[in-house]
Amino acid sequence: MVKVGDLAKRLLLGRALRSAQAHEQLLPKRIALPVFASDALSSVAYAPQEILITLGVAGIAAYHYTPWVALAVVLILLTVVASYRQNVQAYTSGGGDFEVATTNLGSNSGLVVASALMVDYVLTVAVSVSAGVENLAAAVPFLADHKVAGAVVIVALLSVANLRGIRESGLAFAVPTYLFMISVFGMMIWGAVRLSAGTELRAATAGYTVTGEGVGLTGLALVFLLLRAFSSGCAALTGVEAISNGVPAFKKPKGKNAANTLLALGVLAASMFAGITAMAYVTGAKFGDPSQGSVVLDEAGRVVEHPPPVIAQVAQTVFSNFSPAFYLVTAMTALILVLAANTAFNGFPVLGSVLAQNRFLPRQLHTRGDRLAFSNGILILGAMAGLLIYAFNAETTRLVQLYIVGVFVSFTISQTGMVRHWNRLLRTTSDYRSRARMVRARAINAFGAAVTGLVLVVVLVTKFTHGAWIACAAMGLLFVMMRGIRRHYDNVAAELVVPEDVEVDESMLPARNHAIVLLSKIHKPTLRALAYARATRPSTLEAISVGVDTEEARQLQRAWEERGIPVPLKILDSPYREITRPVLEYVKHLRRRSPRDVVTVFIPEYVVGHWWEHLLHNQSALRLKGRLLFQPGVMVTSVPWQLHSSDRLKGRPETFAPGSVRRPYAETRKDDHVKT
């Protein structure tokens, strides 16, 4: 009988997929483009607006710098795309910038990149959804007073959509993304046609004026303002790095398909950004934000509190003779801004999985859910983005100030790592054609590193006091946290390693019950659980492991046979990557076969001394015990293994106290001996 909870989960997320169906989730280029490029494509909707806001600080006279600022942004965008095409073909595992930096520059550089990307992904969701709600509020006034609630609901819906799997979410988001591209290019073409025909296109705000707190700026102050406008416009580059984290999701050849998708993204994003900015400049669209120091005044000198978004002004002007097209552009812009968050929902969980695999984050982030998506990473991203939206009241302009820093940190370090990557390969390659290709790739990455490094400095200088310091602080906090998690896992691994010269007791004493010992790997807690189970004299004894990962299962089997452990090892198949259900089914099978027998399940568990260590250990054991305790005829025995951190909770240990044999006598403190 299907439980209500299972039925609701199936209706919400869909039927669970087997691990063998993973290849069915791979994406062709036509689906991968909207999945991974929606963030970069959507940023062209608000990046021109951010340039106008900043230039408006110096008054309307500064607007004539708009084309030059936009040109600089386009050049940087194309440079980054060219550089990342080298990345995705050289590193296809999904680690992206983290893998590039770690492999070529060391662990600390990799963690800096990972911290920057994780902060940037959370901001991507918050900014995109807030901007989408802001655009939608122009057509639906009700949302203007409920922006936070609307944005949080949208984040929740996006989380559910991605929990259903990357391919299914990609198919759902492909149509709106392509419609957005078609509508924007259609707007640009129709605007050019009308202009070439002699039609005068003037935005509704063309007669307005812009003033700011820096009117009349000259010299270095003006240069600083232009650099600040440039850094704001660089929001158009966000999302380019997502493809490097999503290479494993592409169909084969993965690297080539990812590089081609990245090229298409670069050409489309640059064209759309340049076109919207040019049309805004030609039609005389105005935009300001009092909180950023620029104000729009109408013909009567009154302050315009909420001018329409720039892209909406352009669409209304270009399609003044065809209103349905204006509504299409507005609707698709709002929708693509919301769906742009999907890029982060595909990048963040994969990055979290890679970090968890490298023991920098809790191991639960490496586990795939029913639909073969990294469910825990998706849920964490949705929760963090929702909190950020609530904290900043879903105000795009405030959130954008935190943006960009993280992505340019990863750009710069990654491209520097790629230069070292090519240097290393050139030292071992003698083929002329291969060397020529590598030299060309190194030159592209070196130029990319220099340019993005310069932009990073500009962004830090111009945006630090406007909110970028919050993003920097968050990166630092994440870096310290991940180093701490890795140090903890390393300490535990060193503490639990089994020396090669450990002999296995060959004796097997008779008993009355059937015993099974659950394990995931061979270490000291496993051997203690086996020894304790044998000491209870069961009639039969076997070790059980759940085969979530095929390669890990093979390695465990080989290690078991090499050590000659005289206990049969059985690996349970788990096509849906579950741990609890296969064990329950096996125990029920034993009970059905011999209803009068008692089944004793021995579970090795860690005893820890800090509250936060409970989050990193024993989660699977806790769930399993909770289910086994309700099975008739089944006894559950926890075999504790005290980690060193548990010493703080039990005071000074006695030398020959139970459990003290977990480490050699030489490791005990001198003042722990028994006084005579």
Side-chain angles (χ1 to χ4, degrees), residues 73-204:
V73 172
V74 169
L75 292 176
I76 298 297
L77 172 60
L78 295 177
T79 298
V80 170
V81 168
S83 299
Y84 267 81
R85 279 173 53 81
Q86 315 304 317
N87 290 41
V88 297
Q89 295 185 79
Y91 294 89
T92 61
S93 68
D97 292 341
F98 167 73
E99 183 181 5
V100 173
T102 301
T103 303
N104 299 290
L105 301 175
S107 176
N108 285 336
S109 296
L111 280 189
V112 170
V113 168
S115 303
L117 285 175
M118 293 178 77
V119 170
D120 190 68
Y121 281 135
V122 174
L123 283 167
T124 293
V125 177
V127 170
S128 298
V129 172
S130 298
V133 171
E134 194 173 83
N135 276 266
L136 202 57
V140 185
F142 172 79
L143 276 178
D145 298 323
H146 302 85
K147 289 194 301 182
V148 174
V152 170
V153 168
I154 289 172
V155 170
L157 292 175
L158 287 171
S159 300
V160 172
N162 280 277
L163 287 172
R164 294 184 64 90
I166 185 173
R167 186 177 182 88
E168 191 161 336
S169 65
L171 290 171
F173 298 156
V175 173
T177 303
Y178 281 118
L179 281 177
F180 172 70
M181 289 189 285
I182 291 171
S183 63
V184 170
F185 278 111
M187 178 181 70
M188 292 161 50
I189 294 170
W190 186 240
V193 169
R194 295 191 69 188
L195 286 171
S196 62
T199 305
E200 184 181 10
L201 298 180
R202 285 178 57 82

Side-chain angles (χ1 to χ4, degrees), residues 528 640-642 646-647 650-665 668-669 672-675:
R528 168 173 286 184
W641 181 272
Q642 294 83 11
S646 65
D647 289 348
K650 62 184 179 183
R652 180 177 297 175
E654 296 179 1
T655 303
F656 300 106
S660 63
V661 295
R662 74 181 193 277
R663 52 182 180 267
Y665 179 80
T668 60
R669 298 193 299 266
D672 284 343
H673 64 81
V674 179
K675 296 182 179 180

Side-chain angles (χ1 to χ4, degrees), residues 83 86 419 422 437-449:
S83 299
Q86 315 304 317
V419 172
W422 297 122
R437 179 181 57 82
M438 292 178 186
V439 169
R440 183 172 61 254
R442 181 180 63 178
I444 294 173
N445 287 127
F447 182 70

